[in-house]
Amino acid sequence: MSTRLIAVLLLLPFAAHADPSNNARRGHEDFTVAQLQAEMAAGRLTSEQLTREYIARILTLDQDGPGVNAVMELNPDALAWARHADALRRQGRLLGPLHGIPVLLKGNIDTGDRMQTTAGSFGLKGAPAARDSTVAARLRAGGAVILGKTNLSEWANFRSFAASSGWSAVGGQTNNPYGINRNPCGSSSGSGAAATANFAAVSFGTETDGSIVCPANANGVVGIKPTVGLTSRAGVVPIAHTQDSVGPHARTVADAAIALSVIQSRASDGRDPATGGVPLGWTGRARPANIPSDYTQFLDPNGLRGARLGVTRQGIDDAPPQVVAAFEETLDTLRAAGATLVDLDAASFTFPSADGEFLVLCYEFRDDLRAYLSTRTRVPLAGKTITDAIAFDTANADAEMPFFGQEIFELTAAMAVGGDAPQADFGNMTYNQAIEIDRLSGVNGIDKALADFDLDAVIAPTDNPAWPTDLLYGDHFVFGSSGLAAPAGYPVVQVPSNLVFGIPMGISFFGTAFSEPTLIKLASGFEAVTHVRADNPPTFANTVPSDHIDGTDLRKPRGKPRPHHGEGRKPHHL
């Protein structure tokens, strides 16, 4: 890690409206990475103390108290790693900008230690993974303290059409810190909930289509879904190599940019071919030679000044009027900050539908899962296949399928073999045809919009505000925009933009492959004029909304009842 990045980190401003004296009384849970590093550099805080603070907070608010249930496992070696980081600091050795900083990893990211990597399924519970994922290895090499694993939607929400986000057999149901009755959204639900609840400085999730940005939206945090191949998927339980990506959740754009700087693979890591290539939308193009090592250099509080942003509403007009009004207010904020907005919908620009996406995901999942399972030992599905996973769930239905089934698993197992084989369940479309449709969704979507309208980025509402969790009917999406980028493998930065009845809502900044520098600049400029997460921390309320919902104030009747009207009188003759 560059010494410049460490130096920049120590100079980053504190979070907006932070009160260090108040934070000191309450602990360091609201501190940014820059603040924490400054405290440790000054000798006022150690990594061990910080790690203990986070553990205490997790036990108080996650496991007990309101019961967020975002953290599936604590690392038994976390304090030892923290003490090691402190020892290196005393020697004057800092390994990177996350040195001594506790972080959490989604429960589908391998760590070669004593923690489990289950993807939420008992089929992967037993012996830990044999080695670190590339992302975990980069975090350790950078001095980060891996504090634990977060809960997720089992198998990254790719088992059933009726699943509830945030539920897994191993971890149970994760809840939203802004309202425990609300859903945390997406397969990286525990990562998003843990970040906003201050259970670690930064957490890491994975996305195939929406599973970083949707939890970021629902839980009111920043989420960066990187360009496919910018971060390695080696040692990550997969869905599909064409679309999977690993990225951070954080309370500020600065912290997310730091985290991305640490985990990225600027060149091939030797374990994931995508780290040496380009995503689907850039097929035939070369990987840039100038991928930055430090994304904090693009942070800019005036990042919106002079920007041209293309706006697409992506179905938000079908949402309740309060949600629409919140988005309109966000657009006004963007204009006031100096951005020029181009209404792409009014200009009749149509983003092509990636109609091949689900076929691609199902087809790749079968082989990608088999390849991953071949790396595991001493767990029920070690060396097995999707067919074995189906059999395991059926044999353990009481634990694995109390609420929903495995229709996606069964659909995947039944697919024909071969890229040119017609797939009966997909209208006889072939995998190769589907891949081409998805490639063109990037070329004729985001890329074309950027070029035709001379845009710096495309923006859209991320998702509808979080719905109440419903284990009977599953998730309730009204609109969402992650599909603009996911099939082509393009990046997204999600930033909190408003609240509706106390429930977070965000916007997403979209660009072409490897455009993270531009998106971070724009997102940090937006954050600088809104401070949504800084000014509106989670309340851990039981329900949201929490006002205007009380019933009448009944009292037990007392004393002798009075006669009812007409008692003891002559009846009226009608």
Side-chain angles (χ1 to χ4, degrees):
M1 186 60 57
S2 70
T3 54
R4 180 193 179 281
L5 180 50
I6 298 171
V8 168
L9 173 65
L10 294 175
L11 293 174
L12 285 176
F14 285 176
H17 306 300
D19 179 354
S21 62
N22 184 52
N23 281 337
R25 289 193 296 272
R26 294 170 47 230
H28 299 87
E29 65 269 12
D30 288 324
F31 277 40
T32 65
V33 171
Q35 287 176 297
L36 294 172
Q37 291 289 17
E39 290 292 291
M40 288 191 278
R44 293 187 293 267
L45 177 69
T46 67
S47 178
E48 182 179 359
Q49 290 170 341
L50 181 62
T51 302
R52 290 185 184 278
E53 284 185 16
Y54 282 131
I55 291 172
R57 186 172 175 85
I58 289 167
L59 295 178
T60 301
L61 296 175
D62 190 66
Q63 302 299 297
D64 298 320
V68 178
N69 200 32
V71 181
M72 194 153 53
E73 184 176 11
L74 287 171
N75 186 355
D77 300 317
L79 289 172
W81 277 99
R83 286 190 287 268
H84 176 65
D86 288 334
L88 290 178
R89 187 182 295 273
R90 287 192 295 271
Q91 298 167 15
R93 294 178 57 198
L94 295 182
L95 301 180
L98 289 178
H99 186 100
I101 302 294
V103 302
L104 289 163
L105 301 184
K106 185 177 178 179
N108 64 346
I109 300 175
D110 283 352
T111 52
D113 49 25
R114 292 190 283 171
M115 287 192 293
Q116 299 285 317
T117 304
T118 64
S121 170
F122 286 106
L124 290 177
K125 189 173 176 65
R131 61 184 295 195
D132 274 343
S133 60
T134 296
V135 164
R138 291 189 182 281
L139 287 167
R140 290 193 209 276
V145 176
I146 298 178
L147 181 60
K149 297 283 184 80
T150 58
N151 194 23
L152 69 161
S153 304
E154 185 166 332
W155 292 110
N157 238 356
F158 204 69
R159 199 191 78 190
S160 172
F161 295 113
S164 172
S165 288
W167 184 89
S168 74
V170 174
Q173 178 65 52
T174 295
N175 302 306
N176 193 315
Y178 280 88
I180 298 301
N181 69 319
R182 295 277 162 173
N183 195 270
C185 193
S187 80
S188 302
S189 47
S191 175
T196 201
N198 296 310
F199 294 156
V202 177
S203 59
F204 293 89
T206 65
E207 173 160 330
T208 306
D209 188 340
S211 282
I212 288 175
V213 298
C214 180
N217 174 81
N219 296 283
V221 292
V222 175
I224 298 181
K225 177 257 177 170
T227 301
V228 169
L230 183 61
T231 56
S232 175
R233 291 84 50 86
V236 177
V237 183
I239 290 181
H241 59 266
T242 293
Q243 292 185 208
D244 290 351
S245 191
V246 181
H249 284 127
R251 292 181 298 280
T252 67
V253 177
D255 285 359
I258 291 164
L260 179 61
S261 300
V262 173
I263 67 168
Q264 70 167 327
S265 292
R266 298 172 66 210
S268 176
D269 73 341
R271 298 176 61 192
D272 177 5
T275 58
V278 296
L280 180 63
W282 270 27
T283 300
R285 298 178 63 174
R287 186 179 180 93
N290 60 342
I291 294 175
S293 60
D294 170 14
Y295 287 96
T296 65
Q297 64 183 297
F298 305 108
L299 298 168
D300 184 354
N302 299 308
L304 289 173
R305 189 172 298 166
R308 282 179 59 84
L309 305 175
V311 181
T312 176
R313 303 178 74 83
Q314 293 299 299
I316 193 175
D317 294 327
D318 293 328
Q322 298 93 336
V323 175
V324 178
F327 182 63
E328 295 296 341
E329 184 178 319
T330 295
L331 298 182
D332 290 341
T333 299
L334 289 162
R335 294 187 188 97
T340 297
L341 304 187
V342 179
D343 190 331
L344 297 177
D345 302 333
S348 299
F349 184 87
T350 301
F351 287 88
S353 177
D355 295 330
E357 181 183 18
F358 190 54
L359 189 162
V360 170
L361 301 186
C362 290
Y363 188 88
E364 292 184 357
F365 180 59
R366 181 174 54 189
D367 289 341
D368 291 352
L369 178 63
R370 183 176 64 244
Y372 173 80
L373 294 177
S374 71
T375 69
R376 298 298 298 274
T377 60
R378 294 180 292 143
V379 298
L381 293 179
K384 301 296 182 61
T385 67
I386 184 66
T387 303
D388 297 303
I390 292 170
F392 178 86
D393 288 343
T394 301
N396 298 276
D398 182 61
E400 290 287 344
M401 298 192 292
F403 303 116
F404 47 86
Q406 53 182 338
E407 313 88 66
I408 297 177
F409 273 20
E410 292 163 349
L411 179 65
T412 296
M415 293 183 75
V417 177
D420 291 320
Q423 302 295 342
D425 289 320
F426 296 87
N428 287 325
M429 183 187 298
T430 70
Y431 169 77
N432 287 332
Q433 289 170 337
I435 278 284
E436 180 62 8
I437 292 171
D438 286 3
R439 183 186 73 83
L440 292 174
S441 75
V443 173
N444 296 324
I446 287 175
D447 287 342
K448 183 173 173 56
L450 295 174
D452 288 359
F453 296 91
D454 190 27
L455 303 175
D456 295 293
V458 171
I459 62 168
T462 305
D463 285 291
N464 48 286
W467 54 90
T469 295
D470 188 339
L471 287 163
L472 177 60
Y473 290 102
D475 291 337
H476 182 59
F477 290 100
V478 178
F479 61 88
S481 58
S482 61
L484 294 175
Y490 290 173
V492 189
V493 178
Q494 199 286 154
V495 189
S497 64
N498 217 319
L499 291 97
V500 179
F501 296 135
I503 309 166
M505 179 176 165
I507 63 166
S508 287
F509 293 82
F510 299 88
T512 192
F514 304 104
S515 63
E516 284 84 356
T518 297
L519 302 185
I520 287 170
K521 175 184 176 182
L522 297 169
S524 64
F526 179 76
E527 180 186 64
V529 297
T530 53
H531 313 303
V532 174
R533 172 57 182 77
D535 289 347
N536 300 279
T539 63
F540 301 94
N542 288 326
T543 63
V544 176
S546 58
D547 58 346
H548 298 84
I549 62 172
D550 292 338
T552 55
D553 188 13
L554 300 181
R555 294 291 184 269
K556 180 180 178 179
R558 300 169 64 180
K560 183 179 179 180
R562 289 185 292 180
H564 63 77
H565 179 70
E567 185 175 334
R569 302 176 185 176
K570 287 185 178 181
H572 291 285
H573 297 285
L574 301 177

